[in-house]
Amino acid sequence: MTIESRLSPLDEERMEPQQRRVLDAILGGPRGNLDGPFLAWIHSPELADHAQRLGAFCRYGTRLERRLTELAILFTAAWWQSQAEWQIHEPIAREAGVAESVIEALREGREPAFERDDEALVVRLGRTLYTTRRVDEALYAEAVSAFGEPAVVELVGVFGYYALVAMTLNVFEVRRGSGPLPFDEPPRLEGGVD
């Protein structure tokens, strides 16, 4: 396993039983690899265990279209300037149907010109939440009208979970993973989205 980060190297032969259990759950789940924040979280098996289950739901189980979930993740990666998070999710967002122009605008720190109202609403909600730490009544009502109350709860969960992911990747300087993604490529993000 090739890992570049601030953390001590993970030695599979010296893993604690709890680490092995969590590693097996992660590798056997929908992700299938130990990339991204799990390279850090595996050092705390209890955190990794809870986080991987929440992450699997936020990424694969919400009521939101995959395109909107991936847009929320990309917005979060750009907001937190999380290169590794961006590198993981940029191709996934593209495959899920997020327009190239939206991806590039977020990457460059510009406001995207949205063709879809639901995408503009996701980014507006994320920006408001990250900037003011609140969502006013009008924006809340608009989001509930567009997505439904349960999906808005889940969308806020996606923003919160992926902020945790971004902070983890940034603090521990996770640069490389065990999966097929080229974590040693040059940084893609150009500026924060304010």
Side-chain angles (χ1 to χ4, degrees):
M1 200 177 300
T2 305
I3 302 168
E4 289 182 20
S5 78
R6 288 180 160 170
L7 294 159
S8 57
L10 185 63
D11 184 349
E12 291 190 57
E13 293 177 13
R14 295 187 194 157
M15 277 186 186
E16 300 170 12
Q18 300 94 323
Q19 284 179 306
R20 172 56 60 196
R21 181 184 54 75
V22 173
L23 177 63
D24 291 345
I26 293 168
L27 296 178
R31 281 179 201 87
N33 64 56
L34 192 65
D35 279 337
F38 298 100
L39 294 168
W41 292 341
I42 196 71
H43 290 270
S44 172
E46 294 81 9
L47 175 62
D49 190 30
H50 292 291
Q52 74 94 9
R53 286 185 285 134
L54 177 59
F57 174 78
C58 286
R59 185 165 171 194
Y60 304 108
T62 72
R63 291 167 176 83
L64 297 164
E65 288 181 41
R66 185 169 178 234
R67 168 181 58 86
L68 298 176
T69 299
E70 289 299 328
L71 176 61
I73 296 168
L74 269 195
F75 178 79
T76 299
W79 185 271
W80 284 93
Q81 287 292 284
S82 180
Q83 296 291 339
E85 188 170 52
W86 183 272
Q87 286 174 279
I88 292 167
H89 285 278
E90 178 185 15
I92 298 168
R94 187 176 289 113
E95 180 185 302
V98 178
E100 191 64 37
S101 61
V102 171
I103 293 170
E104 282 306 300
L106 290 175
R107 186 183 69 77
E108 294 170 359
R110 296 183 289 108
E111 177 66 28
F114 292 102
E115 294 179 14
R116 296 176 170 181
D117 292 341
D118 58 355
E119 292 181 358
L121 182 54
V122 165
V123 168
R124 209 163 73 245
L125 188 70
R127 178 174 286 110
T128 301
L129 181 58
Y130 288 151
T131 302
T132 69
R133 294 169 294 282
R134 304 282 188 279
V135 172
D136 66 34
E137 197 59 44
L139 180 55
Y140 177 78
E142 183 180 355
V144 168
S145 176
F147 304 126
E149 189 175 61
V152 173
V153 170
E154 293 168 355
L155 178 56
V156 171
V158 170
F159 282 123
Y161 176 78
Y162 281 95
L164 170 63
V165 169
M167 288 187 279
T168 299
L169 295 170
N170 288 352
V171 169
F172 299 107
E173 296 181 354
V174 176
R175 299 280 182 245
R176 239 177 227 195
S178 61
L181 295 169
F183 284 95
D184 54 349
E185 72 180 40
R188 295 270 298 139
L189 293 171
E190 293 182 11
V193 287
D194 296 324

